[in-house]
Amino acid sequence: MSFAYINHPAYHSENEELKSIYNKWRQRQFGKRIPVHVFGSGSEGNSVYLKPYRTLIDLGLTYKTYQEYSPTFFLDVDYLVLTHHHGDHLNPSTLNRVIQNYPHIRIILSDFMWNMITSDDFKPEYQKREKGEMVPFGHDPVYRTDTSGQRIKKPSAWAPEFFKHRSKFRTAAPETLTTHDGKKFLFEPLTVKHGDIVNIAVQISDPELEFEFLYASDLDNLGGERSFIDCYGNTQHVTGLDQHRRYTCMFLEANYDETILQNWYDNLNQDDPDYRGKKARADGNLRHISEQEASVYIEQHLDENGLFVPLHASKTFGTLHQA
């Protein structure tokens, strides 16, 4: 399959050469330009803009960041897809600015995420630690509780505005979307498991540009359908990633190299005063997809001439960081 979306004359001026891009065998590619802008991928903030489709996936950065890219950036965004509520994927202050100032933007998210960002669990109150207090193993949060041991919850500061603009939000579902300049494309979201919450993976199909796209970050497996118990104690059923489809462009989480991470564990010393912190740092990566796991999925589902962009790559434990 050719890369019509790369060579299409309408997008020549919009194409960018990303810092880190590979073929299906994880060989670095140079000189490949695609109409995508990566604002960020990692714990400091996630956000990717698909230019032909005027679609922004995730909003994990400050409003200023987008304005520095272009003062009129959000005028060119028709659809904002929010995959999940974690702070590196959603900056609620930025979202509030967007819904206040850009009424044309339609925000797509899961019902699970809508319930989360409008509930008292969106920004839970944590117990403030005393100076010098040892951080619990694994950096587990300590929630504030009342005298009966119940968690103290504070109403979401953003919920009133989100409810006020409820009409701008729509539940993620397969549908044909149209940009303000008339471009049509098929949007097909998938639901995936990310620990104890529901996350969204994004599929976009465009036969005209021979474009089959996948964006999947912050998930704990690359399999298909499964059920699990969420953070509320409810049973969730997710579709998982497509186990049969082939893509021309794949933005997929590849967080750490298994050998590098194992070497880190092998060199940990329990007599080291920083042992707990170092182990917790490594443990956090195990909640993500390794480069080796990603490679298996890529080799099975990426076109022979396809392009792979690693997401959420670790600077410490990975080899595919966007740098």
Side-chain angles (χ1 to χ4, degrees), residues 25-37:
W25 298 281
R26 264 176 50 189
Q27 297 168 328
R28 186 77 173 267
Q29 302 293 291
F30 298 94
K32 299 288 188 181
R33 298 173 61 86
I34 59 178
V36 177
H37 182 78

Side-chain angles (χ1 to χ4, degrees), residues 191-253:
T191 51
V192 294
K193 177 180 178 292
H194 178 35
D196 59 0
I197 71 165
V198 176
N199 188 8
I200 289 179
V202 177
Q203 292 182 134
I204 285 178
S205 179
D206 183 347
E208 178 189 356
L209 296 185
E210 300 179 12
F211 186 66
E212 296 289 334
F213 173 80
L214 172 69
Y215 175 100
S217 184
D218 282 50
L219 60 169
D220 54 29
N221 70 88
L222 301 177
E225 295 182 56
R226 67 189 60 224
S227 298
F228 68 98
I229 304 300
D230 67 19
C231 55
Y232 295 110
N234 299 321
T235 299
Q236 294 287 345
H237 183 78
V238 294
T239 63
L241 295 189
D242 195 311
Q243 302 302 301
H244 305 287
R245 195 162 179 169
R246 293 179 68 85
Y247 303 94
T248 50
C249 189
M250 188 182 291
F251 281 57
L252 181 66
E253 179 171 278

Side-chain angles (χ1 to χ4, degrees), residues 307-319:
L307 297 177
F308 156 57
V309 177
L311 296 175
H312 222 297
S314 170
K315 294 179 182 179
T316 303
F317 303 112
T319 67

